[in-house]
Amino acid sequence: MTLIHTTPLEEWIRGKISHISGMNAYKSGNAHSFSREQGPLTRALLESYQLVKLRDTIRLARSNSSFYRDRLAEFPPEKIKSLRDLQSLPFTTADDIRESPMRFVCCSQDEIRRIVTLESSGTTGLPKRIFFTADDQELTKDFFHHALGVVAKPGDKVLVLLPGERPGSVGELFADGALRMDVTPVAHGFVQDPEEALGVMEREKIDTLLGTPVQVLALASYEAPGENKFRTHVKNVILNTDHAPKAVTKRIQQKWSCRVFNHYAMTEMGLGGGLECEAFDGYHMREADLLFEVVDPVTGETLPDGEEGEVVFTTLTRQAMPLIRYRTGDFGRLIPEPCPCGTVLKRMGRVKDRLTGKVVLAGGGFISMSVLDEVLFSIPGVVNLRAVISSASQGDALSVQVQATAWSASTTVELVRNALLAIPVVAQKIRDGMLVVQPVEVDFSASVWRPAKRCIQDIRIGSGRK
Ligand SMILES: [Zn+2]
């Protein structure tokens, strides 16, 4: 049996607690100093730190952000006596940010180092804008540095398949973090041509890949089974996303006999949220910087650990744009059982769906992107997919477009169609005469699709979505 090391994130968080709260104690002269407390990290120590930082965050937000001045008018930090009291605070939504991003900003204009604009998938059509100070960016780099410590070792080389040209972009912050542990980052950006990227991997002797699941899959699937034109030596892969289908992880592992770590993140979290440990069974969360809850998406009630609901987080250390009880729209659960790695850090089960990811079909029942993902990514050669639900003369029509490797050309269309027809809800709806499956379209070009949020597009008449 392989020995599973305790996630190094625990040691990092222990250090942060001593350091940051020590500084606060020094600055304010009254904050509780955790630096005096010795020994390993415990839940009690972590939670008392989180409570202090939560109150600091509420104080900062109420005094500097006009949004929270109004929204939290009835909630002075003194009212928060325990982490449970967080549950009494109102939520912040993506629409709140879209409507008036500037109202969230807690620092002066010249302290803002980076603004990320996220194009909208929401109801208002407005983009979301997220602001960061230099200190906020430092927190991200520090996380990337220590998260990479879970995966790689000094001397390794990591190929960054994420955008990194702009100052403060995810690729650049990650590269800075990597250099701090003597891992050499090789900037690449999104993959367009797998042959070119595989050439870089061979030439640069890349050990570790950082990229989105479908982009890494495109590289792992490029060669036909048994073909080994490129001498690559991938030991580790970090999938940087909120949603990596199991089937994708499996195919990447099989191709390179490598370890595949899932990283859960979104820009609003400060680009880093949680990373799997060597047990590969849930992400350990960045608990010194973020406080996570899982709530009932309908009632908003906080759910006990183990139950699945909407992931909500509160920032504990962010300066430009603190977010309090931010609803992510992701479906997840906190795992109550201890992790095999032995850490006291919380663990979140793999996030595989968005709240909007489930499409209710005519006559009842639903289909979700995660179901299509697991079924279609299990087919060798399939590297990406798009799905659209539209109105048919009776009921719904499901159209699926797939990107597949050239070597799988003779089999893919039939395999995809058969796999779709074998999904129980699809089979049932066809029998009921409420669903038609359109002919499958397959793109065999080697030019990789641009990364996009993968969800089922619902363009039915009266769906109100497009
Ligand atoms: Zn663990």
Side-chain angles (χ1 to χ4, degrees):
M1 216 176 95
T2 348
L3 174 73
I4 297 174
H5 299 96
T6 303
T7 177
L9 292 180
E10 180 179 304
E11 181 75 30
W12 169 65
I13 285 177
R14 177 70 183 94
K16 268 173 76 85
I17 287 179
S18 308
H19 178 67
I20 294 175
S21 36
M23 280 197 333
N24 279 356
Y26 174 75
K27 276 189 206 155
S28 65
N30 59 16
H32 177 69
S33 171
F34 297 93
S35 51
R36 284 195 294 272
E37 299 190 30
Q38 302 292 318
L41 189 67
T42 59
R43 282 308 308 170
L45 179 63
L46 180 54
E47 285 169 13
S48 53
Y49 159 88
Q50 288 175 327
L51 182 59
V52 171
K53 301 305 284 180
L54 174 62
R55 289 200 197 112
D56 287 351
T57 297
I58 294 172
R59 197 171 293 119
L60 172 72
R62 274 172 39 111
S63 64
N64 292 13
S65 132
S66 64
F67 175 83
Y68 284 119
R69 192 171 303 138
D70 296 343
R71 182 65 64 95
L72 299 180
E74 307 295 315
F75 302 95
E78 299 72 42
K79 263 193 170 176
I80 305 293
K81 305 265 189 251
S82 74
L83 291 180
R84 259 189 91 80
D85 293 340
L86 177 65
Q87 296 173 19
S88 61
L89 301 186
F91 292 114
T92 304
T93 65
D95 279 342
D96 291 332
I97 298 180
R98 285 188 195 103
E99 276 158 25
S100 48
M102 287 309 293
R103 292 191 69 211
F104 283 83
V105 174
C106 284
C107 63
S108 65
Q109 290 279 355
D110 46 332
E111 284 175 289
I112 294 171
R113 283 296 168 85
R114 169 113 171 114
I115 305 170
V116 180
T117 303
L118 302 166
E119 291 312 321
S120 180
S121 54
T123 48
T124 62
L126 294 165
K128 264 187 281 185
R129 295 170 78 205
I130 315 292
F131 302 83
F132 299 96
T133 64
D135 284 351
D136 293 335
Q137 293 185 317
E138 172 53 33
L139 290 170
T140 302
K141 286 185 211 175
D142 190 41
F143 171 69
F144 284 156
H145 165 197
H146 290 89
L148 194 56
V150 175
V151 176
K153 56 180 193 334
D156 282 354
K157 259 188 177 180
V158 55
L159 187 66
V160 185
L161 303 171
L162 298 173
E165 303 98 58
R166 289 197 197 168
S169 57
V170 60
E172 199 211 48
L173 297 178
F174 179 84
D176 283 356
L179 289 169
R180 292 180 185 183
M181 67 164 291
D182 289 327
V183 166
T184 308
V186 178
H188 186 283
F190 286 133
V191 178
Q192 289 174 309
D193 173 3
E195 179 127 2
E196 175 273 334
L198 286 160
V200 174
M201 285 163 63
E202 180 179 49
R203 210 166 46 243
E204 298 280 346
K205 299 189 170 52
I206 294 297
D207 307 285
T208 300
L209 292 178
L210 169 69
T212 71
V214 287
Q215 288 250 302
V216 177
L217 182 67
L219 299 183
S221 307
Y222 185 68
E223 293 180 303
E227 192 189 328
N228 278 309
K229 185 176 141 200
F230 296 94
R231 303 254 158 250
T232 52
H233 307 275
V234 180
K235 292 188 295 193
N236 301 298
V237 169
I238 308 168
L239 297 180
N240 191 64
T241 181
D242 53 0
H243 177 196
K246 271 189 188 157
V248 169
T249 303
K250 205 169 144 193
R251 279 174 52 198
I252 295 169
Q253 277 168 338
Q254 281 172 346
K255 169 66 185 174
W256 290 313
S257 305
C258 61
R259 305 188 300 171
V260 180
F261 295 84
N262 286 296
H263 174 221
Y264 174 54
M266 56 173 64
T267 306
E268 295 91 316
M269 286 174 193
L271 305 166
L275 180 70
E276 286 183 332
C277 66
E278 291 176 354
F280 302 103
D281 192 12
Y283 331 98
H284 290 304
M285 312 313 286
R286 195 180 152 193
E287 289 192 79
D289 297 307
L290 300 166
L291 191 55
F292 285 91
E293 301 169 85
V294 172
V295 306
D296 182 312
V298 178
T299 66
E301 211 176 300
T302 304
L303 296 171
D305 288 359
E307 284 187 33
E308 191 167 65
E310 184 175 1
V311 178
V312 169
F313 72 87
T314 298
T315 64
L316 296 174
T317 47
R318 285 261 284 291
Q319 297 300 310
M321 192 177 186
L323 293 172
I324 294 161
R325 302 200 85 202
Y326 182 74
R327 297 184 78 143
T328 62
D330 284 336
F331 251 133
R333 67 188 271 267
L334 291 163
I335 302 172
E337 294 81 22
C339 182
C341 86
T343 182
V344 299
L345 296 181
K346 282 198 175 171
R347 197 161 48 125
M348 190 184 285
R350 221 164 43 90
V351 168
K352 50 183 194 298
D353 263 318
R354 302 266 308 152
L355 286 177
T356 52
K358 288 181 179 182
V359 174
V360 177
L361 296 168
F366 65 85
I367 187 155
S368 67
M369 194 65 186
S370 62
V371 168
L372 292 180
D373 277 347
E374 293 302 347
V375 165
L376 300 186
F377 281 123
S378 300
I379 301 168
V382 170
V383 293
N384 210 342
L385 60 113
R386 295 180 185 135
V388 178
I389 292 275
S390 55
S391 298
S393 54
Q394 199 186 354
D396 301 321
L398 171 64
S399 317
V400 171
Q401 196 188 8
V402 156
Q403 181 159 50
T405 56
W407 56 261
S408 66
S410 61
T411 52
T412 302
V413 174
E414 202 187 339
L415 288 174
V416 169
R417 183 161 181 89
N418 291 345
L420 286 173
L421 298 180
I423 296 171
V425 68
V426 173
Q428 183 62 48
K429 291 283 159 190
I430 292 172
R431 277 198 298 275
D432 296 347
M434 295 301 283
L435 181 71
V436 285
V437 175
Q438 306 289 18
V440 176
E441 281 177 56
V442 186
D443 171 9
F444 291 109
S445 70
S447 173
V448 175
W449 289 353
R450 271 200 73 72
K453 257 212 158 58
R454 289 175 319 101
C455 59
I456 301 175
Q457 245 194 319
D458 183 357
I459 55 165
R460 289 173 297 186
I461 300 153
S463 69
R465 287 156 63 171
K466 43 178 200 351

